[in-house]
């Protein structure tokens, strides 16, 4: 039985082809136009097509762009997708032979992966710009809060004093490493698949380097089989993005904990809280919850992209194309929202100094420095000093008193351990258990003392400047490529005031 149907099956049309067409309309039209222009310029420059043929095709492409508003089109099944729509329109205007000449030495295979890389470049660059804004917000707030004391927690319990600036620099240091990974992944989508054609390049004397240059890529991706089969540009990029949101989610979770009533060391201003509809005492910092779920959703979307590539064949396949690429774009939407919100949230925060002081005192979080001081000033072993400090802290916590007022308890613990008087007077003891003193003496490399914070800020700024410079070089190359492509394509147009 012969099959004479010319239109796709209605279900196939509705479930696959129409959604793909809509996706191409929304996301890939500009990339297809760029590829058509760059490929045509290369074919003429390499003598594969004559200038006359190139001029006719160029004018027809420009006319199609002017006359057809792609955004208004509805998929009918007459052509498979946007690519074939352009080819069909070319045939109407300049005939099938000339229209087909544009497709010399290329395939949908190399075109598609080039389209997808161009789409990912644009979105990755927008994400990078947002992340740069977040780094700036972290650094500016860290500089402002470099002497603002906080209680640092380990295992959910008060541990030692630090500063808000020190904490933020820890988070931004991770973010800078994440940006290193993202930039490395970004570099992998700077290699152009065009010229690979179906899978083995072409017998025509094409210049893959010229097309890559016109499209703003750094260079062609070398192996033609890999151009249409490898998906590491997808898995690498989304893996790098996932790490960013896994790591930022941990910071967001700390903000949730710190702002809880029972902890209360973080104050979220009124503009970033919501009240309860029934409980008038409530101040709910709900942006924290939104950031947390946006980070989790974004990380999950990254997993979806990577997992979709799992156990797929190493060849050209739809599992890495069309709908999959479009699904992945949601990652950049949710991720961008999370980053923008966090970049506005961090500078607006302040630390509740009274609550920090009370928790510091009640939990004896400076007791480590008392032990250190005994080692330095009393020539004790750290184990001896630790036992004395532990006995002092136990007494303070049991009796609910202030560590600063527990000199007599310390004195008794010291005598019991050493069988002699301490050299520390009450003033020296109070300094040893002061949170400010605790921070100020920790001025080693990477510590929380103001001088150490300033040095860390300077080193991070150098790292960040290099990342921004690398990013700017990519943007400069892409801008130059756009100018070059437009000039070369314009030269092919006839003199009709185009």
């Amino acid at each position: 039985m012969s099959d004479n149907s010319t239109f796709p099956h209605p279900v196939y049309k509705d479930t696959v082809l129409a959604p793909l067409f809509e996706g191409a309309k929304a996301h890939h039209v500009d990339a297809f136009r760029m590829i058509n222009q760059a490929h045509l310029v290369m074919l003429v420059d390499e003598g594969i097509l004559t200038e006359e043929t190139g001029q006719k095709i160029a004018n027809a492409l420009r006319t199609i762009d002017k006359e057809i508003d792609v955004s208004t089109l509805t998929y009918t099944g007459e052509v498979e997708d946007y690519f074939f729509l352009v080819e069909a329109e070319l045939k109407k205007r300049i005939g099938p032979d000339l229209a087909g000449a544009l497709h010399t030495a290329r395939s949908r295979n190399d075109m598609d992966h080039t389209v997808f890389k161009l789409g990912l470049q644009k979105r990755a660059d927008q994400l990078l710009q947002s992340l740069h804004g977040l780094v700036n917000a972290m650094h500016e707030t860290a500089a402002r809060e470099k002497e603002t004391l906080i209680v640092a927690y380990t295992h959910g319990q008060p541990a030692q004093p630090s500063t808000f600036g020190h904490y933020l620099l820890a988070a931004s240091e991770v973010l800078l490493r994440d940006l290193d990974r993202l930039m490395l992944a970004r570099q992998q989508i700077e290699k152009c698949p065009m010229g690979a054609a179906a899978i083995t390049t072409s017998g025509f004397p094409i210049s893959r380097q010229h097309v890559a240059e016109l499209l703003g890529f750094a260079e062609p991706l070398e192996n033609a089989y890999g151009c249409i089969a490898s998906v590491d540009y997808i898995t690498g990029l989304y893996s790098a993005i996932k790490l960013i949101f896994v790591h930022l989610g941990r910071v967001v979770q700390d903000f949730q904990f710190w702002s809880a009533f029972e902890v209360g060391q973080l104050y979220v201003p009124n503009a970033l809280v919501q009240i309860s509809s029934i409980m008038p005492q409530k101040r709910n910092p709900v942006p924290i919850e939104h950031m947390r779920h946006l980070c989790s959703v974004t990380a999950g979307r990254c997993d979806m992209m990577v997992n979709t590539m799992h156990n797929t064949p190493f060849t050209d396949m739809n599992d890495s194309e069309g709908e999959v690429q479009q699904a992945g774009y949601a990652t950049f939407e949710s991720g961008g929202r999370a980053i923008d919100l966090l970049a506005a949230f961090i500078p607006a925060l302040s630390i509740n100094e009274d609550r920090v002081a009370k928790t510091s005192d009640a939990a004896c979080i400076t007791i480590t420095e008392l032990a250190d001081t005994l080692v330095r000033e009393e020539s004790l072993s750290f184990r001896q000093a630790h036992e004395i400090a532990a006995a002092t802290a136990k007494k303070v916590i049991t009796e609910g008193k202030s560590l600063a007022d527990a000199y007599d308890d310390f004195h008794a613990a010291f005598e019991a351990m050493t069988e002699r008087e301490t050299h520390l007077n009450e003033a020296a003891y109070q300094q040893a258990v002061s949170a400010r003193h605790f921070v100020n003496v920790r001025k080693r490399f990477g510590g929380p003392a103001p001088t150490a914070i300033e040095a860390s800020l300077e080193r991070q700024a150098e790292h960040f400047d290099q990342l921004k410079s690398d990013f700017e070089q990519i943007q400069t190359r892409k801008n130059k490529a756009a100018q070059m492509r437009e000039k070369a394509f314009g030269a092919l147009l006839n003199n009709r005031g185009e």
Side-chain angles (χ1 to χ4, degrees):
M1 179 178 177
S2 62
D3 183 356
N4 297 319
S5 60
T6 56
F7 280 72
H9 190 287
V11 175
Y12 182 47
K13 171 188 168 185
D14 293 340
T15 59
V16 176
L17 298 180
L20 282 172
F21 188 81
E22 292 301 315
K25 276 170 49 180
H27 302 297
H28 298 147
V29 171
D30 288 341
F32 271 115
R33 285 173 178 158
M34 290 167 60
I35 291 169
N36 283 339
Q37 292 175 6
H39 187 70
L40 179 61
V41 167
M42 182 277 294
L43 291 175
V44 174
D45 286 350
E46 299 303 315
I48 298 169
L49 297 183
T50 65
E51 287 194 15
E52 181 182 2
T53 297
Q55 185 182 74
K56 290 178 180 178
I57 295 172
N59 278 292
L61 288 172
R62 180 57 58 88
T63 301
I64 291 168
D65 288 343
K66 286 183 175 181
E67 293 181 354
I68 298 178
D69 182 357
V70 178
S71 66
T72 65
L73 298 178
T74 300
Y75 183 73
T76 63
E78 294 179 43
V79 293
E80 182 180 326
D81 59 14
Y82 176 77
F83 165 80
F84 286 108
L85 170 68
V86 172
E87 189 168 274
E89 291 295 330
L90 281 175
K91 288 178 182 178
K92 291 179 185 177
R93 287 165 171 78
I94 58 176
D97 291 338
L98 282 181
L102 177 60
H103 204 51
T104 303
R106 74 179 189 182
S107 165
R108 281 300 304 275
N109 294 359
D110 59 347
M111 287 181 69
D112 278 347
H113 285 287
T114 305
V115 164
F116 302 146
K117 284 192 172 184
L118 289 169
L120 288 174
Q121 285 177 3
K122 177 182 177 181
R123 289 164 175 82
D125 288 349
Q126 291 170 342
L127 186 66
L128 280 162
Q129 286 181 312
S130 293
L131 287 165
H132 291 173
L134 178 56
V135 174
N136 278 328
M138 285 181 163
H139 282 178
E140 290 171 4
T141 308
R144 185 188 78 201
E145 306 287 348
K146 67 182 178 182
E147 297 188 43
T148 303
L149 294 173
I150 62 167
V151 176
Y153 287 78
T154 61
H155 306 286
Q157 302 300 313
Q160 290 185 336
S162 186
T163 67
F164 193 28
H166 190 234
Y167 176 89
L168 289 173
L169 285 184
S172 63
E173 192 174 70
V174 174
L175 182 54
L176 288 172
R177 292 195 293 269
D178 284 336
L179 280 168
D180 285 336
R181 286 182 277 265
L182 183 55
M183 282 298 292
L184 181 61
R186 174 69 179 80
Q187 290 168 10
Q188 299 312 306
I189 53 175
E190 278 294 298
K191 297 179 180 181
C192 183
M194 285 302 296
I199 199 167
T200 57
T201 75
S202 170
F204 291 95
I206 60 174
S207 172
R208 296 191 61 203
Q209 289 78 6
H210 192 23
V211 175
E213 182 182 36
L214 288 168
L215 290 173
F217 287 90
E219 58 186 345
L221 181 60
E222 183 171 355
N223 189 282
Y225 197 117
C227 285
I228 62 90
S230 58
V231 297
D232 59 300
Y233 75 92
I234 302 169
T235 56
L237 180 64
Y238 283 101
S239 294
I241 294 171
K242 175 187 174 179
L243 291 179
I244 292 169
F245 291 95
V246 168
H247 298 153
L248 288 178
R250 301 181 71 207
V251 176
V252 171
Q253 179 60 17
D254 273 358
F255 291 161
Q256 180 86 71
F257 178 66
W258 289 5
S259 63
F261 181 83
E262 294 81 0
V263 178
Q265 77 171 359
L266 187 71
Y267 178 79
V268 180
N270 290 337
L272 290 164
V273 300
Q274 291 181 6
I275 62 172
S276 167
S277 65
I278 189 172
M279 296 170 284
Q281 85 284 6
K282 293 290 295 294
R283 294 183 79 254
N284 300 322
V286 293
I288 295 174
E289 297 166 54
H290 288 291
M291 288 185 288
R292 188 171 58 200
H293 93 255
L294 284 170
C295 286
S296 296
V297 165
T298 303
R301 286 170 170 167
C302 291
D303 277 341
M304 173 195 69
M305 292 300 294
V306 174
N307 292 340
T308 302
M309 304 301 120
H310 183 241
N311 280 347
T312 55
F314 189 64
T315 185
D316 181 62
M317 42 141 197
N318 280 301
D319 306 61
S320 64
E321 299 177 6
E323 281 195 88
V324 178
Q325 296 286 343
Q326 295 159 30
Y329 296 159
T331 302
F332 299 91
E333 186 275 334
S334 58
R337 288 165 58 202
I339 291 166
D340 291 346
L341 182 53
L342 189 56
F345 190 80
I346 287 175
L349 300 174
S350 60
I351 300 298
N352 185 334
E353 296 181 4
D354 288 342
R355 184 63 71 88
V356 168
K358 289 177 181 177
T359 303
S360 299
D361 204 38
C364 294
I365 66 171
T366 60
I367 204 72
T368 301
E369 180 54 32
L370 176 61
D372 289 349
T373 299
L374 292 177
V375 172
R376 290 192 299 266
E377 303 296 331
E378 299 281 6
S379 299
L380 301 181
S381 70
F382 184 75
R383 184 50 54 204
Q384 285 178 302
H386 185 279
E387 292 295 329
I388 294 167
T392 305
K394 183 177 181 180
K395 187 79 169 177
V396 167
I397 293 172
T398 300
E399 297 183 3
K401 61 174 66 174
S402 168
L403 180 60
D405 297 333
Y407 179 72
D408 290 342
D409 297 313
F410 156 71
H411 192 281
F414 186 93
E415 270 194 338
M417 175 63 67
T418 65
E419 298 182 348
R420 66 176 175 87
E421 294 281 326
T422 177
H423 297 132
L424 293 185
N425 60 27
E426 188 166 0
Y429 164 82
Q430 289 179 343
Q431 181 184 42
V433 299
S434 158
R436 181 65 61 192
H437 175 73
F438 186 104
V439 166
N440 286 345
V441 297
R442 282 159 172 74
K443 52 190 176 184
R444 308 288 82 78
F445 178 82
T451 54
I453 290 291
E454 289 168 2
S456 292
L457 268 169
E458 186 174 339
R459 281 187 289 271
Q460 287 198 24
E462 290 175 0
H463 186 174
F464 187 35
D465 285 344
Q466 184 59 57
L467 284 166
K468 288 189 292 184
S469 176
D470 294 343
F471 178 77
E472 288 165 3
Q473 287 178 21
I474 291 173
Q475 303 314 305
T476 298
R477 181 175 65 249
K478 294 189 77 63
N479 290 336
K480 287 182 178 179
Q483 294 171 3
M484 183 189 310
R485 184 179 64 253
E486 289 168 6
K487 181 178 180 181
F489 184 73
L492 289 176
L493 298 169
N494 63 20
N495 296 319
R496 296 186 304 172
E498 299 291 350

